[in-house]
Amino acid sequence: TKTFTKKSEAQRWGRLTEADLQAGRLGSPLSHQHTLGEAISRFLEERPNYGGRWMFNSTKVKMLPWWSKNFGHLKLAELTPLAMVKLRDQLRSTPSPPRRKGGHRRRRSDATCNRYMSCLSTVFQCCVELWGWMEANPTRGIRRLKESIGRTRHLSEEEQERLLRFGEADSELRDLVLLALLTAARRGELSTLCWKHVDLTSGTVVFLQTKNNTPRTIPLCPEAVEMLRNRFRNRTRGKGEWVFPSPRADGPIDYISKRFRRVCDRAGIEDFRFHDLRHSAASALARAGVSERQMMEVLGHRTAQMTRRYSHLRPSELREAV
């Protein structure tokens, strides 16, 4: 922007500036030569170590193709902060695809829009730092949308008993659920667990494929050790080193969500997901008076902010002090 005393001078400056922009004489010339679609394609092909592995997770990888499909034709030079705000608003107003065939299309939540913007920000950062296609990341400085408070659904003692009892029809899934309750591990950490990472002598398990890429060693309680020993004795030869192998192919356990939902329906447990087992385990730790630092180690949280979601369940230390 620039200010002039005469409109004719302002118009002349505007025409010259636009010509310089088109010719690449202002800013990064490459930003006028490459499109958003090209940047996303290069990012997915090279897979640079930016943003973590969640960018390429099967459930998250759909975000970048959405940007490429709808706005891939735009030049990188056109993606100013104001333009990014408008694109984000369009994202919010566009219903997401149905989760299953015949399902309803729902409006994207503010948290989902933030994840979409984070994906794109990672691509822009590669354009700035690795490829020299842009001079600045246009999503930096844009305020994130306010997200709702995360779910804190956890099982009651009676629900937990019913879940394990009705899960006996699918012994493979029942053992997976039991280990989730006893270790507070995530579904991906449990499904990809190998026998070489389980030490039944010392009673420990090492989760390598964690959300934050930091290996985590968890001690096992006697019930978990006994269950894993039974699985090791009864393991099927030729199924690789998976603790929970797939019954259909040589790989880890599959169709977890569908099988878990079926067991919950039989047990009469409503509004409960597999990840809520992690909340149930964390809530049990909090009710037992486990310290915040120890809970962080077990849950694999990098910051105490996530762990504090369960602090309201911990016995009040202030009351004891008083």
Side-chain angles (χ1 to χ4, degrees):
T1 59
K2 195 172 182 179
T3 304
F4 297 88
T5 56
K6 294 183 179 180
K7 182 178 179 180
S8 59
E9 295 179 359
Q11 291 175 331
R12 179 174 178 275
W13 175 85
R15 288 193 296 269
L16 293 175
T17 303
E18 288 179 352
D20 289 339
L21 283 171
Q22 294 296 330
R25 290 188 290 268
L26 294 178
S28 174
L30 295 179
S31 65
H32 298 270
Q33 300 175 13
H34 295 284
T35 63
L36 176 61
E38 293 173 351
I40 292 175
S41 297
R42 182 172 179 178
F43 179 84
L44 293 175
E45 180 180 353
E46 296 183 5
R47 289 192 165 209
N49 189 22
Y50 273 70
R53 288 186 303 177
W54 75 275
M55 294 280 294
F56 307 102
N57 185 282
S58 58
T59 59
K60 303 293 192 306
V61 75
K62 60 185 179 182
M63 295 183 179
L64 289 178
W66 186 90
W67 287 113
S68 183
K69 177 182 177 181
N70 292 277
F71 307 110
H73 63 281
L74 297 177
K75 297 289 186 182
L76 294 177
E78 300 178 69
L79 301 176
T80 62
L82 178 59
M84 292 308 307
V85 170
K86 293 181 179 179
L87 296 185
R88 185 191 62 187
D89 292 341
Q90 187 170 340
L91 170 68
R92 295 177 69 189
S93 62
T94 305
S96 61
R99 293 186 176 181
R100 58 180 65 91
K101 188 176 180 180
H104 297 288
R105 299 186 65 186
R106 300 182 299 178
R107 178 181 178 273
R108 290 183 174 89
S109 66
D110 290 347
T112 298
C113 293
N114 286 338
R115 301 295 94 74
Y116 271 76
M117 292 292 286
S118 296
C119 279
L120 207 55
S121 177
T122 303
V123 175
F124 289 150
Q125 208 59 30
C126 289
C127 291
V128 174
E129 299 180 5
L130 296 182
W131 310 326
W133 288 5
M134 304 178 76
E135 289 189 333
N137 185 340
T139 60
R140 293 290 175 91
I142 298 178
R143 183 179 293 274
R144 293 165 60 89
L145 299 173
K146 186 177 181 180
E147 301 183 11
S148 60
I149 300 176
R151 285 170 58 93
T152 55
R153 173 76 162 94
H154 55 86
L155 292 170
S156 65
E157 292 185 7
E158 191 268 338
E159 285 179 325
Q160 180 172 311
E161 181 182 349
R162 274 192 288 131
L163 179 63
L164 294 176
R165 185 172 72 252
F166 281 90
E168 292 178 354
D170 189 344
S171 60
E172 194 85 6
L173 182 69
R174 183 189 182 279
D175 289 348
L176 186 72
V177 169
L178 181 61
L179 194 60
L181 289 170
L182 296 177
T183 61
R186 300 178 178 90
R187 183 177 70 175
E189 297 168 350
L190 293 168
S191 62
T192 57
L193 183 63
C194 297
W195 284 115
K196 61 183 177 182
H197 302 140
V198 178
D199 190 342
L200 295 176
T201 304
S202 62
T204 58
V205 61
V206 180
F207 296 115
L208 295 181
Q209 298 188 25
T210 62
K211 186 177 180 179
N212 53 26
N213 297 326
T214 302
R216 187 169 79 259
T217 301
I218 301 295
L220 298 171
C221 65
E223 188 177 1
V225 172
E226 183 62 26
M227 183 270 289
L228 289 172
R229 279 183 178 153
N230 290 334
R231 291 195 62 81
F232 186 76
R233 284 193 296 264
N234 301 324
R235 70 189 187 281
T236 303
R237 300 291 182 178
K239 286 292 184 180
E241 288 295 317
W242 307 108
V243 176
F244 299 99
S246 169
R248 301 173 181 81
D250 184 14
I253 185 172
D254 47 12
Y255 300 105
I256 296 176
S257 296
K258 183 182 295 184
R259 294 161 66 178
F260 184 75
R261 189 163 53 246
R262 189 182 303 127
V263 171
C264 288
D265 291 342
R266 287 200 299 260
I269 300 175
E270 300 178 353
D271 187 31
F272 195 77
R273 308 169 187 171
F274 191 93
H275 188 75
D276 294 332
L277 295 171
R278 179 171 163 86
H279 295 301
S280 298
S283 300
L285 291 172
R287 288 193 300 270
V290 177
S291 68
E292 187 177 272
R293 180 60 189 172
Q294 289 175 321
M295 286 183 63
M296 286 180 59
E297 292 291 336
V298 174
L299 298 173
H301 290 159
R302 284 185 174 179
T303 62
Q305 182 178 1
M306 291 295 295
T307 310
R308 291 195 184 107
R309 295 172 61 184
Y310 310 98
S311 60
H312 66 285
L313 299 172
R314 185 180 293 107
S316 174
E317 298 175 359
L318 289 177
R319 181 178 302 172
E320 295 176 3
V322 172

